[in-house]
Amino acid sequence: MQEALDLLKGSPFELGELAYGLRSKKHSNKAYYTVNAAITYSNTCEALCPICSFARREGQQGAYVLSVEEVSNRARRFSELGAKEIHIIGGIYSKLDLNYYLDVIRAVRAADKNFNIVAYTVSECVLMSKISSLKLDRVFELLIEAGVNALPGGGAEIFDESVRKKIAPRKLSGQEWLDAMQTAHKAGLRTNATMLYGHIETPEQVVDHLFKLRDLQDKTGGFKAFVPLPFRQGKSSIQAHSSATYDLKICALARLVLDNFDHIRVPITHFDDRLEQVLLWFGADDVGGTHWNEEVAVSAGASLLNRDAKKIEDTIRAAGFVPQLTNSNYDI
């Protein structure tokens, strides 16, 4: 851990060279992407994390919960546009019952039987367990039966509890998030893992976060990709303290520490195209996807860009890599 900490505090060029070497061994000159869309079924949330610009209180102006029919309509439209994958998340809202979550999945599956469905965060899944009085592993079984193919990695934030109490005090603890992911992996669901950085965390807490993910991956092998997410201040009172240099160092360090993860994904919705190209030289191998209708990052100030497959492929090729169309399960 000390070596990782020294690298994070040192020159980005040393980190980048080491990370690129490992990235090349794993993926040669390939860079992955997908054609996907987001269906955010609700922004009504009871957690109301201080870091969040997206959530709304029940009854607040702008708060919404999509009906299953509205979800179905969106899924059909995205299928017609050529999406291969649907990413589904929402707020932590205890007035939605388990059947709602299952019906959302069934509606998306009915809209296109070939969709790769990535839903929901483990924070939402734990809520489903509580409101239904079912064990978490049973909730995962029902989600798989309804049509879920994988889980996203959201909600990890930073595992250190002193930080979580300030940025996400009502969400799962770091250990609860890790335990829920372990249960998901045992149920046969592969997942991503995230880290939100660039707020009040220290380098030591970043390294601790990465090593906790590495340890769980050694136990389960259930993580597909690590997704570093730069914090955007948006409407939050917590200030953002990231930079392009820090983005590069976080990406490169993740590639080195998480050598038991196959992929490092840097979603193009969170980084501009030019930085995205540089990140591919600092250990990343996956630029995410088109992610049509993304709302969460956009609410915090990310650019809402209308990307298609050609635009992403052009970005990858201009960086010197060969684009590979896939999905979040890496089915080429």
Side-chain angles (χ1 to χ4, degrees):
M1 290 183 71
Q2 185 59 48
E3 183 180 2
L5 185 60
D6 291 341
L7 285 168
L8 183 58
K9 292 181 176 180
S11 165
F13 299 109
E14 180 184 1
L15 255 176
E17 184 177 5
L18 293 169
Y20 180 72
L22 182 54
R23 180 236 191 275
S24 296
K25 288 180 181 179
K26 285 180 174 288
H27 303 290
S28 183
N29 63 345
K30 297 175 183 177
Y32 304 91
Y33 79 98
T34 189
V35 178
N36 61 353
I39 297 179
T40 310
Y41 61 86
S42 175
N43 66 349
T44 304
C45 187
E46 294 160 0
L48 297 171
C49 299
I51 54 170
C52 184
S53 298
F54 178 68
R56 299 290 183 272
R57 290 183 176 83
E58 181 183 23
Q60 183 179 352
Q61 184 176 2
Y64 71 85
V65 176
L66 297 182
S67 68
V68 173
E69 183 179 3
E70 288 173 317
V71 169
S72 177
N73 291 339
R74 292 190 183 193
R76 285 197 298 270
R77 177 164 55 88
F78 290 137
S79 177
E80 292 167 359
L81 290 172
K84 307 299 182 186
E85 177 175 285
I86 300 295
H87 185 276
I88 307 172
I89 60 169
I92 304 300
Y93 187 41
S94 60
K95 291 187 179 180
L96 298 175
D97 63 23
L98 178 59
N99 286 329
Y100 172 84
Y101 294 100
L102 298 175
D103 287 343
V104 162
I105 302 301
R106 294 180 185 120
V108 174
R109 176 61 66 213
D112 190 328
K113 64 183 178 62
N114 295 316
F115 273 149
N116 189 58
I117 300 178
V118 183
Y120 303 89
T121 67
V122 289
S123 297
E124 292 161 278
C125 296
V126 168
L127 176 64
M128 294 176 211
S129 175
K130 290 178 179 178
I131 61 179
S132 66
S133 298
L134 296 175
K135 291 184 177 180
L136 185 57
D137 56 358
R138 179 55 181 158
V139 169
F140 288 136
E141 289 175 1
L142 292 172
L143 290 172
I144 292 170
E145 290 172 8
V148 168
N149 299 111
L151 300 189
E157 321 305 3
I158 289 286
F159 292 141
D160 185 272
E161 289 307 314
S162 66
V163 175
R164 295 182 80 86
K165 288 177 181 178
K166 296 176 182 176
I167 67 171
R170 299 182 186 88
K171 292 180 82 169
L172 300 181
S173 70
Q175 189 58 54
E176 287 170 337
W177 187 94
L178 291 163
D179 291 344
M181 278 295 185
Q182 184 169 352
T183 302
H185 296 167
K186 287 182 178 179
L189 283 167
R190 300 202 70 202
T191 76
N192 289 338
T194 60
M195 180 178 71
L196 185 71
Y197 66 90
H199 40 84
I200 62 172
E201 85 286 351
T202 65
E204 289 80 4
Q205 291 161 344
V206 166
V207 171
D208 173 74
H209 187 102
L210 294 176
F211 273 87
K212 281 185 168 65
L213 290 176
R214 178 190 171 108
D215 290 345
L216 181 55
Q217 181 72 333
D218 279 341
K219 292 179 182 178
T220 69
F223 289 120
K224 301 169 295 164
F226 172 69
V227 188
L229 299 173
F231 172 62
R232 293 176 178 272
Q233 184 169 350
K235 299 174 184 176
S236 173
S237 61
I238 296 173
Q239 291 189 347
H241 295 287
S242 192
S243 67
T245 300
Y246 195 43
D247 291 335
L248 297 177
K249 292 169 75 172
I250 290 288
C251 179
L253 184 66
R255 178 64 289 168
L256 294 173
V257 172
L258 301 176
D259 59 348
N260 55 358
F261 278 60
D262 287 335
H263 300 277
I264 303 295
R265 172 178 292 179
V266 285
I268 206 163
T269 47
H270 290 266
F271 305 93
D272 64 39
D273 295 275
R274 291 190 176 188
L275 181 56
E276 193 83 17
Q277 291 171 329
V278 181
L279 287 165
L280 289 172
W281 290 92
F282 275 70
D285 62 272
D286 181 349
V287 302
T290 54
H291 222 62
W292 296 323
N293 204 48
E294 201 286 332
E295 296 182 64
V296 179
V298 169
S299 72
S303 298
L304 181 60
L305 300 178
N306 186 22
R307 291 183 176 88
D308 57 16
K310 182 180 183 303
K311 172 63 175 173
I312 292 180
E313 289 197 354
D314 288 346
T315 299
I316 291 170
R317 287 195 180 97
F321 295 86
V322 178
Q324 299 285 307
L325 177 62
T326 184
N327 60 30
S328 290
N329 287 349
Y330 298 95
D331 302 317
I332 303 298

